[in-house]
Amino acid sequence: MKHYSNNKIIHGILQNNNSILQYIYNEYYPGINLYILKNNGIEEDANDVFQEGLIIIYRKIKDNQYFLKCSFGTYLFSICKLLWLKHLRQRKTRFLVLEKLPIYLINKKNQDIIDTIEKNERYKLYQKYFLRLGKDCQKTLQLFMDEVPLKKIATLMGYKNEKYAKKKKYKCKENLINNIKQDREFKELENTN
Amino acid sequence: MEKCTTEDIDRYIHNEMSPSEKQQWDKEIKSDKKLDKEIKLHEEIEEAIREKDIIRLRKTLSEIIKTGYSQEKNNNYHLKEPSRIAAMS
């Protein structure tokens, strides 16, 4: 089987390169899956942890905070482990069992990565609800975020005037925010952070 | 703050307020933690919407995971194919 260097892998993640991502999956998913299954998880958890683990690495690369001190596989595995431990901890707080944090999670060296993990948790939730909005709302908000001129947004979306385009934006945003606020996970995140 | 709509917060974030209105808001935010939190939430949500690259990566990964799955299922299915079982026995 083909083998990719760390650099190639990192480049591939940044480029959203399908064959590199497939390679990462083939190469590292089984180990992560096994770890999660052995530690009170199910296949679905493994999928989620693997996916978010890679997204966290992507965030790190983009922020220039990814330094290769170890092989890519080791790095991915340790992030997935951290994600899973954190998840188990949250699951326990759900059942109101208070427990000390594993040293692993409070180690100062890990604070950067913990911050990224927490940011990713929140943003994943926001994005989930964004993608559940109607196509019109998604597109309108995206155009506003891209700072497309108001006049152009109105034309592109077929809104009768600029005032209406703005109104639409507020309405879509309000919907989105209300949906996010009603999410159970969001309430939990608010309480723990 | 008495009234604080999505529109108000949006206008505040995007600097669409008059200088005096903005000044009032700045003052308010310092004493009103809830409002401060609300504004931060709005800003984060906007940033999250801008992360098209991450939304795309998550989509690619979930597709890979899904097909990885179905491949496994297919393999299992083949193993249990009646003709094969018949051939083996």
Side-chain angles (χ1 to χ4, degrees), chain B residues 1-13 17-32 34-36 38-39 42:
Chain B
M1 195 161 275
E2 298 155 25
K3 66 172 181 111
C4 163
T5 61
T6 305
E7 181 173 342
D8 291 331
I9 293 177
D10 192 86
R11 284 175 49 240
Y12 177 79
I13 293 173
M17 285 182 166
S18 68
S20 65
E21 201 182 353
K22 187 180 170 346
Q23 211 176 21
Q24 202 199 328
W25 268 66
D26 285 337
K27 222 173 107 191
E28 197 79 39
I29 289 162
K30 272 188 198 139
S31 57
D32 188 343
K34 237 176 128 186
L35 179 62
D36 186 42
E38 191 68 22
I39 288 171
H42 278 242

PDB file of all heavy atoms in Angstrom, chain B residues 1-13 17-32 34-36 38-39 42:
ATOM      1  N   MET B   1     -30.506  46.283  29.119  1.00  0.00           N
ATOM      2  CA  MET B   1     -31.039  47.084  28.013  1.00  0.00           C
ATOM      3  C   MET B   1     -32.496  46.703  27.754  1.00  0.00           C
ATOM      4  O   MET B   1     -32.841  45.525  27.749  1.00  0.00           O
ATOM      5  CB  MET B   1     -30.187  46.844  26.769  1.00  0.00           C
ATOM      6  CG  MET B   1     -30.439  47.873  25.699  1.00  0.00           C
ATOM      7  SD  MET B   1     -29.102  47.956  24.498  1.00  0.00           S
ATOM      8  CE  MET B   1     -27.972  49.059  25.314  1.00  0.00           C
ATOM      9  N   GLU B   2     -33.313  47.694  27.560  1.00  0.00           N
ATOM     10  CA  GLU B   2     -34.750  47.413  27.419  1.00  0.00           C
ATOM     11  C   GLU B   2     -35.015  46.526  26.204  1.00  0.00           C
ATOM     12  O   GLU B   2     -35.467  45.414  26.314  1.00  0.00           O
ATOM     13  CB  GLU B   2     -35.555  48.713  27.273  1.00  0.00           C
ATOM     14  CG  GLU B   2     -35.444  49.619  28.484  1.00  0.00           C
ATOM     15  CD  GLU B   2     -35.699  51.057  28.112  1.00  0.00           C
ATOM     16  OE1 GLU B   2     -36.384  51.295  27.103  1.00  0.00           O
ATOM     17  OE2 GLU B   2     -35.189  51.948  28.823  1.00  0.00           O
ATOM     18  N   LYS B   3     -34.719  47.055  25.053  1.00  0.00           N
ATOM     19  CA  LYS B   3     -34.968  46.240  23.866  1.00  0.00           C
ATOM     20  C   LYS B   3     -33.624  45.875  23.225  1.00  0.00           C
ATOM     21  O   LYS B   3     -32.711  46.701  23.130  1.00  0.00           O
ATOM     22  CB  LYS B   3     -35.866  46.974  22.876  1.00  0.00           C
ATOM     23  CG  LYS B   3     -35.237  48.216  22.263  1.00  0.00           C
ATOM     24  CD  LYS B   3     -36.133  48.757  21.162  1.00  0.00           C
ATOM     25  CE  LYS B   3     -35.487  49.987  20.538  1.00  0.00           C
ATOM     26  NZ  LYS B   3     -35.010  49.896  19.236  1.00  0.00           N
ATOM     27  N   CYS B   4     -33.545  44.631  22.879  1.00  0.00           N
ATOM     28  CA  CYS B   4     -32.289  44.193  22.302  1.00  0.00           C
ATOM     29  C   CYS B   4     -32.625  43.093  21.313  1.00  0.00           C
ATOM     30  O   CYS B   4     -32.682  41.918  21.646  1.00  0.00           O
ATOM     31  CB  CYS B   4     -31.395  43.690  23.427  1.00  0.00           C
ATOM     32  SG  CYS B   4     -30.053  42.707  22.877  1.00  0.00           S
ATOM     33  N   THR B   5     -32.884  43.478  20.097  1.00  0.00           N
ATOM     34  CA  THR B   5     -33.304  42.517  19.078  1.00  0.00           C
ATOM     35  C   THR B   5     -32.096  42.014  18.295  1.00  0.00           C
ATOM     36  O   THR B   5     -30.987  42.549  18.416  1.00  0.00           O
ATOM     37  CB  THR B   5     -34.270  43.175  18.082  1.00  0.00           C
ATOM     38  OG1 THR B   5     -33.553  44.245  17.450  1.00  0.00           O
ATOM     39  CG2 THR B   5     -35.499  43.728  18.764  1.00  0.00           C
ATOM     40  N   THR B   6     -32.336  40.984  17.517  1.00  0.00           N
ATOM     41  CA  THR B   6     -31.289  40.465  16.639  1.00  0.00           C
ATOM     42  C   THR B   6     -30.765  41.598  15.754  1.00  0.00           C
ATOM     43  O   THR B   6     -29.567  41.716  15.517  1.00  0.00           O
ATOM     44  CB  THR B   6     -31.858  39.345  15.743  1.00  0.00           C
ATOM     45  OG1 THR B   6     -32.442  38.356  16.583  1.00  0.00           O
ATOM     46  CG2 THR B   6     -30.786  38.709  14.885  1.00  0.00           C
ATOM     47  N   GLU B   7     -31.712  42.430  15.310  1.00  0.00           N
ATOM     48  CA  GLU B   7     -31.332  43.545  14.441  1.00  0.00           C
ATOM     49  C   GLU B   7     -30.379  44.512  15.155  1.00  0.00           C
ATOM     50  O   GLU B   7     -29.368  44.924  14.591  1.00  0.00           O
ATOM     51  CB  GLU B   7     -32.600  44.267  13.976  1.00  0.00           C
ATOM     52  CG  GLU B   7     -32.300  45.414  13.049  1.00  0.00           C
ATOM     53  CD  GLU B   7     -33.561  46.035  12.447  1.00  0.00           C
ATOM     54  OE1 GLU B   7     -34.624  45.408  12.472  1.00  0.00           O
ATOM     55  OE2 GLU B   7     -33.447  47.175  11.959  1.00  0.00           O
ATOM     56  N   ASP B   8     -30.703  44.838  16.399  1.00  0.00           N
ATOM     57  CA  ASP B   8     -29.830  45.753  17.159  1.00  0.00           C
ATOM     58  C   ASP B   8     -28.417  45.196  17.264  1.00  0.00           C
ATOM     59  O   ASP B   8     -27.439  45.891  17.003  1.00  0.00           O
ATOM     60  CB  ASP B   8     -30.364  45.934  18.588  1.00  0.00           C
ATOM     61  CG  ASP B   8     -31.678  46.708  18.595  1.00  0.00           C
ATOM     62  OD1 ASP B   8     -31.879  47.525  17.678  1.00  0.00           O
ATOM     63  OD2 ASP B   8     -32.487  46.472  19.509  1.00  0.00           O
ATOM     64  N   ILE B   9     -28.347  43.931  17.668  1.00  0.00           N
ATOM     65  CA  ILE B   9     -27.031  43.321  17.860  1.00  0.00           C
ATOM     66  C   ILE B   9     -26.275  43.267  16.533  1.00  0.00           C
ATOM     67  O   ILE B   9     -25.081  43.556  16.470  1.00  0.00           O
ATOM     68  CB  ILE B   9     -27.162  41.913  18.492  1.00  0.00           C
ATOM     69  CG1 ILE B   9     -27.703  42.068  19.912  1.00  0.00           C
ATOM     70  CG2 ILE B   9     -25.817  41.188  18.503  1.00  0.00           C
ATOM     71  CD1 ILE B   9     -27.961  40.787  20.634  1.00  0.00           C
ATOM     72  N   ASP B  10     -26.997  42.931  15.498  1.00  0.00           N
ATOM     73  CA  ASP B  10     -26.376  42.867  14.173  1.00  0.00           C
ATOM     74  C   ASP B  10     -25.816  44.233  13.779  1.00  0.00           C
ATOM     75  O   ASP B  10     -24.698  44.346  13.279  1.00  0.00           O
ATOM     76  CB  ASP B  10     -27.410  42.381  13.153  1.00  0.00           C
ATOM     77  CG  ASP B  10     -26.771  42.002  11.833  1.00  0.00           C
ATOM     78  OD1 ASP B  10     -26.309  40.855  11.679  1.00  0.00           O
ATOM     79  OD2 ASP B  10     -26.692  42.888  10.962  1.00  0.00           O
ATOM     80  N   ARG B  11     -26.592  45.256  14.041  1.00  0.00           N
ATOM     81  CA  ARG B  11     -26.137  46.610  13.691  1.00  0.00           C
ATOM     82  C   ARG B  11     -24.937  47.017  14.528  1.00  0.00           C
ATOM     83  O   ARG B  11     -24.024  47.673  14.048  1.00  0.00           O
ATOM     84  CB  ARG B  11     -27.285  47.616  13.861  1.00  0.00           C
ATOM     85  CG  ARG B  11     -28.300  47.532  12.707  1.00  0.00           C
ATOM     86  CD  ARG B  11     -29.504  48.436  12.928  1.00  0.00           C
ATOM     87  NE  ARG B  11     -29.118  49.780  13.288  1.00  0.00           N
ATOM     88  CZ  ARG B  11     -29.449  50.396  14.428  1.00  0.00           C
ATOM     89  NH1 ARG B  11     -30.207  49.789  15.306  1.00  0.00           N
ATOM     90  NH2 ARG B  11     -29.034  51.619  14.671  1.00  0.00           N
ATOM     91  N   TYR B  12     -24.938  46.579  15.776  1.00  0.00           N
ATOM     92  CA  TYR B  12     -23.795  46.888  16.635  1.00  0.00           C
ATOM     93  C   TYR B  12     -22.527  46.201  16.115  1.00  0.00           C
ATOM     94  O   TYR B  12     -21.483  46.833  15.949  1.00  0.00           O
ATOM     95  CB  TYR B  12     -24.084  46.460  18.072  1.00  0.00           C
ATOM     96  CG  TYR B  12     -22.898  46.701  18.989  1.00  0.00           C
ATOM     97  CD1 TYR B  12     -22.622  47.969  19.484  1.00  0.00           C
ATOM     98  CD2 TYR B  12     -22.045  45.654  19.333  1.00  0.00           C
ATOM     99  CE1 TYR B  12     -21.533  48.202  20.306  1.00  0.00           C
ATOM    100  CE2 TYR B  12     -20.950  45.874  20.152  1.00  0.00           C
ATOM    101  CZ  TYR B  12     -20.696  47.144  20.639  1.00  0.00           C
ATOM    102  OH  TYR B  12     -19.604  47.376  21.433  1.00  0.00           O
ATOM    103  N   ILE B  13     -22.647  44.920  15.824  1.00  0.00           N
ATOM    104  CA  ILE B  13     -21.486  44.149  15.352  1.00  0.00           C
ATOM    105  C   ILE B  13     -20.927  44.733  14.058  1.00  0.00           C
ATOM    106  O   ILE B  13     -19.711  44.787  13.862  1.00  0.00           O
ATOM    107  CB  ILE B  13     -21.878  42.664  15.103  1.00  0.00           C
ATOM    108  CG1 ILE B  13     -22.215  41.963  16.409  1.00  0.00           C
ATOM    109  CG2 ILE B  13     -20.748  41.907  14.415  1.00  0.00           C
ATOM    110  CD1 ILE B  13     -22.755  40.563  16.210  1.00  0.00           C
ATOM    111  N   MET B  17     -24.250  51.641  13.717  1.00  0.00           N
ATOM    112  CA  MET B  17     -24.938  52.530  14.659  1.00  0.00           C
ATOM    113  C   MET B  17     -24.364  53.930  14.586  1.00  0.00           C
ATOM    114  O   MET B  17     -23.212  54.115  14.188  1.00  0.00           O
ATOM    115  CB  MET B  17     -24.760  51.996  16.080  1.00  0.00           C
ATOM    116  CG  MET B  17     -25.629  50.796  16.362  1.00  0.00           C
ATOM    117  SD  MET B  17     -25.431  50.245  18.052  1.00  0.00           S
ATOM    118  CE  MET B  17     -26.847  49.167  18.186  1.00  0.00           C
ATOM    119  N   SER B  18     -25.171  54.872  15.004  1.00  0.00           N
ATOM    120  CA  SER B  18     -24.661  56.251  15.076  1.00  0.00           C
ATOM    121  C   SER B  18     -23.650  56.295  16.225  1.00  0.00           C
ATOM    122  O   SER B  18     -23.725  55.482  17.150  1.00  0.00           O
ATOM    123  CB  SER B  18     -25.811  57.204  15.346  1.00  0.00           C
ATOM    124  OG  SER B  18     -26.297  56.972  16.660  1.00  0.00           O
ATOM    125  N   PRO B  19     -22.707  57.233  16.182  1.00  0.00           N
ATOM    126  CA  PRO B  19     -21.686  57.292  17.231  1.00  0.00           C
ATOM    127  C   PRO B  19     -22.281  57.355  18.641  1.00  0.00           C
ATOM    128  O   PRO B  19     -21.791  56.687  19.550  1.00  0.00           O
ATOM    129  CB  PRO B  19     -20.914  58.565  16.912  1.00  0.00           C
ATOM    130  CG  PRO B  19     -21.105  58.773  15.450  1.00  0.00           C
ATOM    131  CD  PRO B  19     -22.469  58.239  15.133  1.00  0.00           C
ATOM    132  N   SER B  20     -23.342  58.113  18.799  1.00  0.00           N
ATOM    133  CA  SER B  20     -23.907  58.236  20.153  1.00  0.00           C
ATOM    134  C   SER B  20     -24.564  56.924  20.591  1.00  0.00           C
ATOM    135  O   SER B  20     -24.450  56.500  21.737  1.00  0.00           O
ATOM    136  CB  SER B  20     -24.909  59.387  20.214  1.00  0.00           C
ATOM    137  OG  SER B  20     -26.006  59.096  19.386  1.00  0.00           O
ATOM    138  N   GLU B  21     -25.226  56.276  19.658  1.00  0.00           N
ATOM    139  CA  GLU B  21     -25.868  55.000  19.969  1.00  0.00           C
ATOM    140  C   GLU B  21     -24.823  53.952  20.333  1.00  0.00           C
ATOM    141  O   GLU B  21     -24.971  53.194  21.282  1.00  0.00           O
ATOM    142  CB  GLU B  21     -26.681  54.538  18.750  1.00  0.00           C
ATOM    143  CG  GLU B  21     -27.771  53.545  19.089  1.00  0.00           C
ATOM    144  CD  GLU B  21     -28.544  53.065  17.859  1.00  0.00           C
ATOM    145  OE1 GLU B  21     -28.311  53.608  16.744  1.00  0.00           O
ATOM    146  OE2 GLU B  21     -29.341  52.141  17.995  1.00  0.00           O
ATOM    147  N   LYS B  22     -23.756  53.959  19.571  1.00  0.00           N
ATOM    148  CA  LYS B  22     -22.679  52.990  19.811  1.00  0.00           C
ATOM    149  C   LYS B  22     -22.049  53.213  21.190  1.00  0.00           C
ATOM    150  O   LYS B  22     -21.779  52.275  21.926  1.00  0.00           O
ATOM    151  CB  LYS B  22     -21.620  53.089  18.715  1.00  0.00           C
ATOM    152  CG  LYS B  22     -20.576  51.973  18.836  1.00  0.00           C
ATOM    153  CD  LYS B  22     -19.537  52.058  17.752  1.00  0.00           C
ATOM    154  CE  LYS B  22     -18.333  51.161  17.919  1.00  0.00           C
ATOM    155  NZ  LYS B  22     -18.050  50.517  19.157  1.00  0.00           N
ATOM    156  N   GLN B  23     -21.854  54.474  21.488  1.00  0.00           N
ATOM    157  CA  GLN B  23     -21.259  54.823  22.779  1.00  0.00           C
ATOM    158  C   GLN B  23     -22.114  54.294  23.930  1.00  0.00           C
ATOM    159  O   GLN B  23     -21.606  53.727  24.898  1.00  0.00           O
ATOM    160  CB  GLN B  23     -21.158  56.335  22.863  1.00  0.00           C
ATOM    161  CG  GLN B  23     -19.976  56.788  23.683  1.00  0.00           C
ATOM    162  CD  GLN B  23     -19.863  58.305  23.649  1.00  0.00           C
ATOM    163  OE1 GLN B  23     -20.824  59.023  23.355  1.00  0.00           O
ATOM    164  NE2 GLN B  23     -18.692  58.814  23.942  1.00  0.00           N
ATOM    165  N   GLN B  24     -23.395  54.459  23.755  1.00  0.00           N
ATOM    166  CA  GLN B  24     -24.324  53.987  24.774  1.00  0.00           C
ATOM    167  C   GLN B  24     -24.220  52.469  24.923  1.00  0.00           C
ATOM    168  O   GLN B  24     -24.217  51.932  26.030  1.00  0.00           O
ATOM    169  CB  GLN B  24     -25.736  54.397  24.367  1.00  0.00           C
ATOM    170  CG  GLN B  24     -26.707  54.440  25.531  1.00  0.00           C
ATOM    171  CD  GLN B  24     -28.142  54.383  25.043  1.00  0.00           C
ATOM    172  OE1 GLN B  24     -28.459  54.884  23.957  1.00  0.00           O
ATOM    173  NE2 GLN B  24     -29.004  53.765  25.824  1.00  0.00           N
ATOM    174  N   TRP B  25     -24.131  51.800  23.795  1.00  0.00           N
ATOM    175  CA  TRP B  25     -24.010  50.339  23.816  1.00  0.00           C
ATOM    176  C   TRP B  25     -22.707  49.894  24.468  1.00  0.00           C
ATOM    177  O   TRP B  25     -22.697  48.979  25.265  1.00  0.00           O
ATOM    178  CB  TRP B  25     -24.106  49.783  22.388  1.00  0.00           C
ATOM    179  CG  TRP B  25     -25.502  49.430  22.009  1.00  0.00           C
ATOM    180  CD1 TRP B  25     -26.540  50.291  21.852  1.00  0.00           C
ATOM    181  CD2 TRP B  25     -26.026  48.121  21.794  1.00  0.00           C
ATOM    182  NE1 TRP B  25     -27.676  49.606  21.527  1.00  0.00           N
ATOM    183  CE2 TRP B  25     -27.394  48.276  21.476  1.00  0.00           C
ATOM    184  CE3 TRP B  25     -25.480  46.846  21.815  1.00  0.00           C
ATOM    185  CZ2 TRP B  25     -28.217  47.176  21.199  1.00  0.00           C
ATOM    186  CZ3 TRP B  25     -26.289  45.756  21.527  1.00  0.00           C
ATOM    187  CH2 TRP B  25     -27.657  45.932  21.232  1.00  0.00           C
ATOM    188  N   ASP B  26     -21.642  50.535  24.110  1.00  0.00           N
ATOM    189  CA  ASP B  26     -20.341  50.186  24.698  1.00  0.00           C
ATOM    190  C   ASP B  26     -20.417  50.233  26.217  1.00  0.00           C
ATOM    191  O   ASP B  26     -19.878  49.371  26.916  1.00  0.00           O
ATOM    192  CB  ASP B  26     -19.254  51.144  24.199  1.00  0.00           C
ATOM    193  CG  ASP B  26     -18.849  50.839  22.762  1.00  0.00           C
ATOM    194  OD1 ASP B  26     -19.062  49.692  22.318  1.00  0.00           O
ATOM    195  OD2 ASP B  26     -18.325  51.745  22.076  1.00  0.00           O
ATOM    196  N   LYS B  27     -21.083  51.280  26.685  1.00  0.00           N
ATOM    197  CA  LYS B  27     -21.214  51.468  28.127  1.00  0.00           C
ATOM    198  C   LYS B  27     -22.053  50.346  28.727  1.00  0.00           C
ATOM    199  O   LYS B  27     -21.705  49.749  29.738  1.00  0.00           O
ATOM    200  CB  LYS B  27     -21.880  52.826  28.400  1.00  0.00           C
ATOM    201  CG  LYS B  27     -21.236  53.578  29.558  1.00  0.00           C
ATOM    202  CD  LYS B  27     -21.825  54.969  29.651  1.00  0.00           C
ATOM    203  CE  LYS B  27     -22.759  55.101  30.839  1.00  0.00           C
ATOM    204  NZ  LYS B  27     -23.537  56.352  30.790  1.00  0.00           N
ATOM    205  N   GLU B  28     -23.137  50.093  28.049  1.00  0.00           N
ATOM    206  CA  GLU B  28     -24.081  49.075  28.509  1.00  0.00           C
ATOM    207  C   GLU B  28     -23.418  47.700  28.612  1.00  0.00           C
ATOM    208  O   GLU B  28     -23.599  46.974  29.580  1.00  0.00           O
ATOM    209  CB  GLU B  28     -25.246  49.012  27.518  1.00  0.00           C
ATOM    210  CG  GLU B  28     -26.473  48.322  28.032  1.00  0.00           C
ATOM    211  CD  GLU B  28     -27.302  49.213  28.951  1.00  0.00           C
ATOM    212  OE1 GLU B  28     -27.424  50.427  28.666  1.00  0.00           O
ATOM    213  OE2 GLU B  28     -27.804  48.685  29.945  1.00  0.00           O
ATOM    214  N   ILE B  29     -22.630  47.376  27.596  1.00  0.00           N
ATOM    215  CA  ILE B  29     -22.003  46.059  27.541  1.00  0.00           C
ATOM    216  C   ILE B  29     -21.088  45.821  28.739  1.00  0.00           C
ATOM    217  O   ILE B  29     -21.016  44.724  29.281  1.00  0.00           O
ATOM    218  CB  ILE B  29     -21.218  45.893  26.214  1.00  0.00           C
ATOM    219  CG1 ILE B  29     -22.210  45.764  25.059  1.00  0.00           C
ATOM    220  CG2 ILE B  29     -20.296  44.680  26.240  1.00  0.00           C
ATOM    221  CD1 ILE B  29     -21.616  46.029  23.703  1.00  0.00           C
ATOM    222  N   LYS B  30     -20.423  46.872  29.133  1.00  0.00           N
ATOM    223  CA  LYS B  30     -19.495  46.743  30.264  1.00  0.00           C
ATOM    224  C   LYS B  30     -20.201  46.325  31.545  1.00  0.00           C
ATOM    225  O   LYS B  30     -19.620  45.622  32.371  1.00  0.00           O
ATOM    226  CB  LYS B  30     -18.756  48.069  30.476  1.00  0.00           C
ATOM    227  CG  LYS B  30     -17.494  48.123  29.627  1.00  0.00           C
ATOM    228  CD  LYS B  30     -16.646  49.324  29.949  1.00  0.00           C
ATOM    229  CE  LYS B  30     -15.672  49.587  28.817  1.00  0.00           C
ATOM    230  NZ  LYS B  30     -15.566  51.020  28.539  1.00  0.00           N
ATOM    231  N   SER B  31     -21.433  46.764  31.706  1.00  0.00           N
ATOM    232  CA  SER B  31     -22.126  46.438  32.956  1.00  0.00           C
ATOM    233  C   SER B  31     -23.093  45.266  32.796  1.00  0.00           C
ATOM    234  O   SER B  31     -23.502  44.660  33.770  1.00  0.00           O
ATOM    235  CB  SER B  31     -22.871  47.666  33.481  1.00  0.00           C
ATOM    236  OG  SER B  31     -23.766  48.113  32.488  1.00  0.00           O
ATOM    237  N   ASP B  32     -23.446  44.971  31.563  1.00  0.00           N
ATOM    238  CA  ASP B  32     -24.429  43.918  31.327  1.00  0.00           C
ATOM    239  C   ASP B  32     -23.764  42.669  30.740  1.00  0.00           C
ATOM    240  O   ASP B  32     -23.529  42.573  29.548  1.00  0.00           O
ATOM    241  CB  ASP B  32     -25.510  44.461  30.369  1.00  0.00           C
ATOM    242  CG  ASP B  32     -26.686  43.506  30.227  1.00  0.00           C
ATOM    243  OD1 ASP B  32     -26.544  42.322  30.584  1.00  0.00           O
ATOM    244  OD2 ASP B  32     -27.735  43.963  29.746  1.00  0.00           O
ATOM    245  N   LYS B  34     -24.875  39.685  30.398  1.00  0.00           N
ATOM    246  CA  LYS B  34     -25.742  38.895  29.525  1.00  0.00           C
ATOM    247  C   LYS B  34     -25.691  39.421  28.092  1.00  0.00           C
ATOM    248  O   LYS B  34     -25.607  38.654  27.128  1.00  0.00           O
ATOM    249  CB  LYS B  34     -27.182  38.958  30.044  1.00  0.00           C
ATOM    250  CG  LYS B  34     -27.752  37.579  30.329  1.00  0.00           C
ATOM    251  CD  LYS B  34     -29.123  37.695  30.920  1.00  0.00           C
ATOM    252  CE  LYS B  34     -30.107  36.842  30.148  1.00  0.00           C
ATOM    253  NZ  LYS B  34     -31.491  37.048  30.613  1.00  0.00           N
ATOM    254  N   LEU B  35     -25.701  40.726  28.001  1.00  0.00           N
ATOM    255  CA  LEU B  35     -25.646  41.348  26.674  1.00  0.00           C
ATOM    256  C   LEU B  35     -24.285  41.075  26.017  1.00  0.00           C
ATOM    257  O   LEU B  35     -24.201  40.757  24.833  1.00  0.00           O
ATOM    258  CB  LEU B  35     -25.883  42.860  26.796  1.00  0.00           C
ATOM    259  CG  LEU B  35     -25.841  43.654  25.495  1.00  0.00           C
ATOM    260  CD1 LEU B  35     -26.937  43.204  24.540  1.00  0.00           C
ATOM    261  CD2 LEU B  35     -26.001  45.154  25.770  1.00  0.00           C
ATOM    262  N   ASP B  36     -23.273  41.172  26.823  1.00  0.00           N
ATOM    263  CA  ASP B  36     -21.918  40.901  26.333  1.00  0.00           C
ATOM    264  C   ASP B  36     -21.829  39.478  25.778  1.00  0.00           C
ATOM    265  O   ASP B  36     -21.274  39.244  24.703  1.00  0.00           O
ATOM    266  CB  ASP B  36     -20.938  41.102  27.495  1.00  0.00           C
ATOM    267  CG  ASP B  36     -19.489  40.975  27.043  1.00  0.00           C
ATOM    268  OD1 ASP B  36     -19.176  41.517  25.962  1.00  0.00           O
ATOM    269  OD2 ASP B  36     -18.697  40.327  27.732  1.00  0.00           O
ATOM    270  N   GLU B  38     -24.295  37.639  24.721  1.00  0.00           N
ATOM    271  CA  GLU B  38     -25.146  37.538  23.538  1.00  0.00           C
ATOM    272  C   GLU B  38     -24.408  38.040  22.292  1.00  0.00           C
ATOM    273  O   GLU B  38     -24.459  37.428  21.225  1.00  0.00           O
ATOM    274  CB  GLU B  38     -26.414  38.371  23.795  1.00  0.00           C
ATOM    275  CG  GLU B  38     -27.513  38.178  22.780  1.00  0.00           C
ATOM    276  CD  GLU B  38     -28.147  36.799  22.820  1.00  0.00           C
ATOM    277  OE1 GLU B  38     -28.069  36.120  23.853  1.00  0.00           O
ATOM    278  OE2 GLU B  38     -28.705  36.397  21.784  1.00  0.00           O
ATOM    279  N   ILE B  39     -23.700  39.131  22.445  1.00  0.00           N
ATOM    280  CA  ILE B  39     -22.951  39.688  21.315  1.00  0.00           C
ATOM    281  C   ILE B  39     -21.851  38.728  20.882  1.00  0.00           C
ATOM    282  O   ILE B  39     -21.645  38.485  19.692  1.00  0.00           O
ATOM    283  CB  ILE B  39     -22.388  41.069  21.681  1.00  0.00           C
ATOM    284  CG1 ILE B  39     -23.549  42.064  21.736  1.00  0.00           C
ATOM    285  CG2 ILE B  39     -21.333  41.541  20.671  1.00  0.00           C
ATOM    286  CD1 ILE B  39     -23.200  43.402  22.282  1.00  0.00           C
ATOM    287  N   HIS B  42     -23.335  35.986  18.842  1.00  0.00           N
ATOM    288  CA  HIS B  42     -23.599  36.432  17.462  1.00  0.00           C
ATOM    289  C   HIS B  42     -22.318  36.449  16.626  1.00  0.00           C
ATOM    290  O   HIS B  42     -22.317  36.021  15.481  1.00  0.00           O
ATOM    291  CB  HIS B  42     -24.211  37.838  17.469  1.00  0.00           C
ATOM    292  CG  HIS B  42     -25.686  37.844  17.734  1.00  0.00           C
ATOM    293  ND1 HIS B  42     -26.597  38.316  16.840  1.00  0.00           N
ATOM    294  CD2 HIS B  42     -26.389  37.414  18.812  1.00  0.00           C
ATOM    295  CE1 HIS B  42     -27.818  38.198  17.357  1.00  0.00           C
ATOM    296  NE2 HIS B  42     -27.711  37.663  18.552  1.00  0.00           N
TER     297      HIS B  42
END
